[in-house]
């Protein structure tokens, strides 16, 4: 378990931060940016949950599980796989987490009409915040993919799959909540010409 007695340590005053395994990296390091953006995604989900609990308790429960998974993903990313056997078993995203988020996507999507237009971010308060979380999660995915393709850096396949499914879940959940409240906000090409 994590135990934090003191919040500031002054060790980051030099512009570096410590990975879970101990080494320090610049705060702008790609790995740090990736797990920082996962944290940002989680904060957006937290805001969406302020509204989701009232709009649909089932979606809120799904978001609660995802929020916890995102801490797992942050732990995974902050503990680089060096190819050497670790002194302890690091927390990693596992295929079962990917399977669960896929099942949640399928559960929500089965009730939705097929899309006939692109969807604008908007609708209910929870759906609107989920659209924001979706765009932030896509940025996290871009960073994680870049990190995975960087020499000397390893990102587990389940972690990459999870973050890819995450944005899909957030999109489908926003559509699901909007469908319960009258429908998506649809793009009308050239409407304001």
């Amino acid at each position: 378990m994590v135990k934090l007695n003191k919040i500031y340590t002054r060790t980051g005053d030099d512009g570096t931060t410590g990975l879970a395994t101990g080494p320090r990296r610049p705060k702008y390091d790609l790995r740090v940016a990736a797990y920082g953006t996962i944290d940002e995604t989680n904060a957006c989900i937290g805001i969406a949950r302020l509204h989701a609990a009232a709009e649909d308790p089932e979606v809120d429960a799904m978001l609660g599980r995802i929020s916890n998974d995102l801490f797992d993903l942050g732990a995974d990313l902050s503990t680089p796989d060096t190819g050497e056997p670790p002194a302890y078993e690091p927390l990693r995203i596992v295929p079962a987490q990917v399977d669960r988020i896929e099942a949640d996507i399928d559960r929500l999507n089965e009730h939705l009409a097929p899309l006939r237009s692109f969807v604008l971010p908007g609708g209910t308060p929870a759906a609107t915040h989920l659209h924001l979380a979706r765009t932030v999660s896509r940025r996290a995915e871009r960073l994680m993919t870049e990190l995975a393709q960087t020499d000397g850096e390893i990102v587990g396949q389940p972690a990459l799959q999870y973050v890819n499914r995450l944005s899909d879940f957030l999109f489908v959940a926003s559509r699901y909540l909007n469908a319960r409240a009258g429908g998506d906000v649809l793009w009308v090409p050239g409407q304001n010409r």
Side-chain angles (χ1 to χ4, degrees):
M1 268 304 180
V2 175
K3 182 178 179 183
L4 298 172
N5 289 330
K6 191 169 184 177
I7 300 304
Y8 66 90
T9 62
R10 298 190 175 112
T11 57
D13 291 351
D14 64 354
T16 65
T17 191
L19 299 179
T21 51
R24 298 198 67 78
R25 294 212 183 165
K27 290 187 179 188
Y28 58 80
D29 181 84
L30 188 55
R31 183 171 290 278
V32 177
Y35 68 72
T37 308
I38 290 298
D39 189 36
E40 188 179 347
T41 302
N42 209 355
C44 292
I45 288 171
I47 293 171
R49 291 191 70 201
L50 291 173
H51 305 284
E55 290 180 30
D56 190 289
E58 181 183 17
V59 171
D60 183 53
M62 291 175 182
L63 291 169
R65 289 189 296 271
I66 287 169
S67 185
N68 197 82
D69 284 352
L70 291 180
F71 262 80
D72 291 354
L73 181 54
D76 186 330
L77 291 170
S78 70
T79 311
D81 181 350
T82 62
E84 299 291 322
Y88 61 93
E89 186 65 35
L91 186 58
R92 302 281 183 222
I93 293 293
V94 297
Q97 289 168 294
V98 177
D99 293 343
R100 196 209 66 249
I101 200 169
E102 287 178 353
D104 287 346
I105 292 167
D106 293 343
R107 159 78 182 87
L108 298 179
N109 200 46
E110 71 182 330
H111 301 288
L112 299 176
L115 277 173
R116 304 220 187 298
S117 173
F118 287 105
V119 174
L120 298 177
T124 72
T128 302
H129 287 293
L130 290 175
H131 278 294
L132 176 60
R134 174 186 54 79
T135 64
V136 176
S137 75
R138 281 290 190 204
R139 179 163 31 97
E141 181 182 15
R142 291 190 299 272
L143 291 167
M144 286 174 61
T145 301
E146 183 180 0
L147 179 65
Q149 295 178 7
T150 301
D151 287 341
E153 297 287 1
I154 298 171
V155 178
Q157 190 61 33
L160 291 168
Q161 291 170 333
Y162 188 90
V163 75
N164 183 260
R165 300 306 181 283
L166 175 61
S167 57
D168 295 336
F169 172 85
L170 296 169
F171 179 72
V172 169
S174 69
R175 289 198 66 222
Y176 179 83
L177 293 173
N178 278 340
R180 292 172 45 105
D184 289 312
V185 180
L186 299 178
W187 174 48
V188 180
Q191 179 181 26
N192 299 312
R193 288 184 174 182

